[in-house]
Amino acid sequence: MDQKRLLELLNQYLQEDPYHSFHVGKDESGGDILILEDLKVPEESIAVPLQEALNQYEESGGDIDRTVDWISRSIESGRAMMEMLEGDPRETGNIVLRLHDIGILRENKGVPHVDYLDMTMLFYRIAGDGDHYISKVIDSTEFAQIGLRKMELFAIAKDNTMELFPFFMRTLNIPHHFEITNTIRTDGAISMLYDNGLRLLADQYETDVIIYPVSEDYIIAVPYLEEGDDYRSTIREKYQKEFRELRQAAIEEGEIPLSDKVHIYGRETGGIAVVEF
């Protein structure tokens, strides 16, 4: 069963439905999404990842009725989440942070942000049902409605982010390489700012930690195990080449890169710095 066949079945199922239609579009990363439109309320459409719909069809044993029912429930859930996003603008319990390449500010001029090293953080209001989340960036109008100073909102958003999207680390198939992200592995690069994240790795190896900011969804962390104190020379000769290779591989997998520079976490200082040559 492929996506094309699923679309054919959906078309047959919905062709006599006077209230709904659908088409296929692309999300921000280029993935296929199934967009179901409510013909009674045209502005109320919702997108479902096409692969998820296909997975549901296969898990149901090829039952198109159950698949459409799942899509319908996804629509209702999405609408409920949209209503949550449009709630009281002064509510701050669902505001989180995401880490981006600094270039995102060209597309979001005037949006409140907090610059961090050679990257930047934007504020987002999120809503979710436990399995899926939707979000919208907080613009200058909503920021003014919230009525807090930027760094006051930053402190709240950081706490929310750590609570809603806990730290997660896993080993990679390269010795002493770790992926650091959150438990849903989405927008997880912000976890490099979590208070307990990189410190755990630094204390485990009793050394500083090299950071490859390859993606908005995760970073790759490598304990610095080289001899000698000339870490800049070593990073330039060894780690920078590896970083470029891993970064390019991530881009080819559809990841959005954060930076083109190696970073380092200092075990003694507890801070992160860009490695300048």
Side-chain angles (χ1 to χ4, degrees):
M1 179 66 179
D2 58 18
Q3 294 180 355
K4 182 179 179 181
R5 179 56 181 156
L6 175 61
L7 293 175
E8 291 174 352
L9 291 171
L10 284 172
N11 186 55
Q12 294 172 11
Y13 190 95
L14 294 174
Q15 64 183 350
E16 296 182 2
D17 185 339
Y19 303 115
H20 297 92
S21 68
F22 76 93
H23 66 275
V24 176
K26 298 285 186 180
D27 62 16
E28 293 180 355
S29 63
D32 291 326
I33 52 176
L34 186 64
I35 303 173
L36 283 94
E37 298 173 331
D38 188 323
L39 299 181
K40 296 179 295 181
V41 190
E43 66 272 14
E44 289 194 8
S45 62
I46 201 73
V48 177
L50 185 53
Q51 186 58 47
E52 287 192 23
L54 178 58
N55 293 344
Q56 288 294 322
Y57 179 80
E58 293 175 342
E59 290 174 9
S60 71
D63 189 328
I64 191 65
D65 292 298
R66 287 175 57 188
T67 303
V68 172
D69 180 63
W70 174 83
I71 294 172
S72 297
R73 284 186 280 109
S74 297
I75 292 173
E76 294 305 317
S77 176
R79 286 178 179 160
M81 288 188 280
M82 289 293 291
E83 290 177 3
M84 291 175 63
L85 289 184
E86 299 301 329
D88 186 346
R90 295 167 297 178
E91 170 58 42
T92 59
N94 64 346
I95 296 178
V96 298
L97 294 168
R98 289 179 182 166
L99 193 59
H100 297 280
D101 175 87
I102 197 76
I104 199 171
L105 298 179
R106 291 192 295 270
E107 306 166 11
N108 294 271
K109 294 181 179 179
V111 169
H113 62 278
V114 176
D115 289 335
Y116 180 72
L117 301 175
D118 60 335
M119 301 169 285
T120 194
M121 291 174 279
L122 302 187
F123 299 95
Y124 288 82
R125 191 177 295 280
I126 66 165
D129 58 7
D131 296 318
H132 302 91
Y133 288 88
I134 61 173
S135 64
K136 67 173 183 179
V137 69
I138 292 180
D139 59 21
S140 56
T141 299
E142 186 173 6
F143 177 71
Q145 293 173 330
I146 293 170
L148 295 174
R149 294 186 179 91
K150 185 189 296 184
M151 296 314 294
E152 291 175 331
L153 185 60
F154 172 79
I156 293 171
K158 182 182 177 183
D159 288 343
N160 290 343
T161 308
M162 291 190 293
E163 180 179 352
L164 295 170
F165 303 104
F167 174 84
F168 178 78
M169 180 171 66
R170 70 182 182 99
T171 56
L172 300 177
N173 57 5
I174 308 173
H176 308 300
H177 285 56
F178 300 84
E179 179 186 284
I180 289 180
T181 181
N182 55 33
T183 50
I184 64 171
R185 201 179 181 272
T186 300
D187 301 307
I190 192 68
S191 61
M192 68 190 287
L193 275 73
Y194 289 8
D195 299 331
N196 64 337
L198 288 163
R199 175 164 295 281
L200 292 174
L201 195 57
D203 288 346
Q204 177 183 342
Y205 282 84
E206 298 183 345
T207 186
D208 296 342
V209 178
I210 303 295
I211 300 169
Y212 298 156
V214 296
S215 166
E216 292 183 353
D217 290 332
Y218 64 91
I219 63 168
I220 294 175
V222 187
Y224 184 78
L225 302 176
E226 310 299 328
E227 298 291 338
D229 298 326
D230 189 9
Y231 75 88
R232 283 189 175 84
S233 177
T234 303
I235 290 173
R236 182 174 59 247
E237 295 171 4
K238 176 181 178 180
Y239 292 97
Q240 184 168 272
K241 179 178 182 294
E242 181 180 61
F243 169 48
R244 287 173 176 166
E245 293 172 350
L246 291 172
R247 182 177 183 270
Q248 183 58 38
I251 292 172
E252 291 174 359
E253 289 294 322
E255 301 290 347
I256 302 173
L258 276 176
S259 168
D260 60 359
K261 295 182 179 179
V262 177
H263 295 62
I264 189 165
Y265 172 85
R267 186 184 180 216
E268 291 187 4
T269 64
I272 299 174
V274 177
V275 180
E276 302 286 358
F277 301 115

